[in-house]
Amino acid sequence: MIYDLSMATTADVPEILALQAENQIAKGGALSVEFSAAWFETTVQEMPVVIARRRGQLVGYLVSSTPEKTKDYALGQAKFEAYPAKAGAYNSGPLCIEASERGQGLAERLFELQGSLLRGREGVGFIRRDNAASRAAHAKYGFLEVAKFTYDTIEYLAVARTT
């Protein structure tokens, strides 16, 4: 597949929100946290949020954000309590890919771009322990499972990589 990869701007936020909404757990997806428009608007100005388009349509995104950016989100707090990251670490994720684009190598391309933009820094994410596809994808792109934690009776894994 041919994808156009770039860094998101505030103009991309409505499409990011639409893709996020389609992939929430309540709708059968795997996203555990729903971020607001205001959250994305400031995040894209602070750190790289990489996006992919195919034929002009947004089909995937991978967020980078500071640990402070998720301090008000219980899962973000739980992740860093379970795994105290290195100085200068960033949140890697969420990663969201439109269902029709999964398995086409897009996750790899998004992770590569994120890594190249944040070279030498540790990216830390979390995955539901029962999400085998996400665990495999993260492992394939160099993430190590570094800690386990439970939030609201659901088991999660903290994952980390340094590029």
Side-chain angles (χ1 to χ4, degrees):
M1 294 279 178
I2 297 175
Y3 296 105
D4 178 26
L5 273 63
S6 64
M7 288 178 39
T9 68
T10 55
D12 298 305
V13 170
E15 289 177 282
I16 291 170
L17 291 172
L19 187 55
Q20 173 187 244
E22 293 171 19
N23 288 279
Q24 289 297 309
I25 289 174
K27 291 196 174 182
L31 292 179
S32 300
V33 177
E34 187 168 4
F35 294 106
S36 69
W39 188 91
F40 274 109
E41 287 168 358
T42 59
T43 299
V44 300
Q45 295 175 51
E46 295 170 357
M47 288 199 68
V49 174
V50 293
I51 60 172
R53 294 183 176 281
R54 188 164 65 85
R55 292 189 214 124
Q57 179 183 344
L58 184 79
V59 294
Y61 65 85
L62 175 58
V63 176
S64 309
S65 65
T66 65
E68 295 77 27
K69 194 74 177 164
T70 58
K71 68 178 172 47
D72 295 331
Y73 292 88
L75 274 169
Q77 289 177 357
K79 171 183 69 177
F80 284 116
E81 286 173 12
Y83 177 71
K86 297 174 185 172
Y90 63 93
N91 290 303
S92 178
L95 166 67
C96 185
I97 296 176
E98 187 172 309
S100 64
E101 304 298 318
R102 294 179 191 148
Q104 306 295 318
L106 180 53
E108 178 179 15
R109 298 200 44 213
L110 290 169
F111 278 126
E112 284 175 357
L113 180 54
Q114 181 189 59
S116 72
L117 294 168
L118 297 165
R119 183 114 8 243
R121 292 178 65 183
E122 182 181 41
V124 182
F126 67 84
I127 306 167
R128 282 178 59 125
R129 190 169 182 196
D130 62 358
N131 189 339
S134 185
R135 288 176 73 178
H138 281 78
K140 183 177 179 180
Y141 308 123
F143 284 86
L144 301 175
E145 295 179 0
V146 294
K148 298 176 187 176
F149 64 97
T150 301
Y151 175 75
D152 199 24
T153 72
I154 298 170
E155 293 182 350
Y156 291 89
L157 299 165
V159 296
R161 76 168 179 164
T162 301
T163 54

